[in-house]
Amino acid sequence: MDWTRARDRNLVRWRRILAGIGVDDPPELLRRLNEVGEVCELAREDAGGAQGRCDHCLVFGSAGECLDLRWKITRALLEAELDEARSLVRGVVARTLAARPAGDDR
């Protein structure tokens, strides 16, 4: 999978999550939040397997950043802090839009 396709699919997934906050069943929203996305799959391909994939992530760059953010979103959803959850998910969308492969200076 190439970066543009992975990014676009990732954006669709995160925008669905954003649209579902306060609307969709919370367990379904949490399931979608914790799915391995296309950007993760691309990072795994770049790493040559599951080990070290997070070091190849163009959006987060490390497992800590990704896991911390997913935990913050999960906590906000579970505590019904929907505006906070929306803000955090919007941050993921913005971060995904800003991410670029090395050498892509667009």
Side-chain angles (χ1 to χ4, degrees), residues 39-61:
V39 169
C40 296
E41 292 296 330
L42 184 62
R44 181 172 50 184
E45 288 175 21
D46 288 349
Q51 293 293 339
R53 83 170 174 211
C54 294
D55 294 333
H56 292 262
C57 179
L58 296 175
V59 176
F60 293 104

Side-chain angles (χ1 to χ4, degrees), residues 1-36:
M1 180 178 309
D2 70 356
W3 164 246
T4 301
R5 185 173 177 173
R7 182 202 60 215
D8 291 350
R9 285 183 172 185
N10 200 61
L11 287 167
V12 166
R13 192 168 69 80
W14 281 99
R15 286 175 174 149
R16 261 192 214 137
I17 291 169
L18 180 60
I21 294 173
V23 176
D24 293 347
D25 184 44
E28 174 61 20
L29 206 52
L30 293 173
R31 184 195 63 75
R32 276 189 262 147
L33 174 66
N34 290 296
E35 287 177 334
V36 172

Side-chain angles (χ1 to χ4, degrees), residues 14 33-34 39-40 53-74 88-89 91-96 98-99:
W14 281 99
L33 174 66
N34 290 296
V39 169
C40 296
R53 83 170 174 211
C54 294
D55 294 333
H56 292 262
C57 179
L58 296 175
V59 176
F60 293 104
S62 79
E65 292 176 54
C66 176
L67 294 175
D68 287 348
L69 186 55
R70 286 174 192 261
W71 170 244
K72 288 176 185 176
I73 296 167
T74 298
L88 291 166
V89 172
V92 173
V93 170
R95 196 170 182 160
T96 302

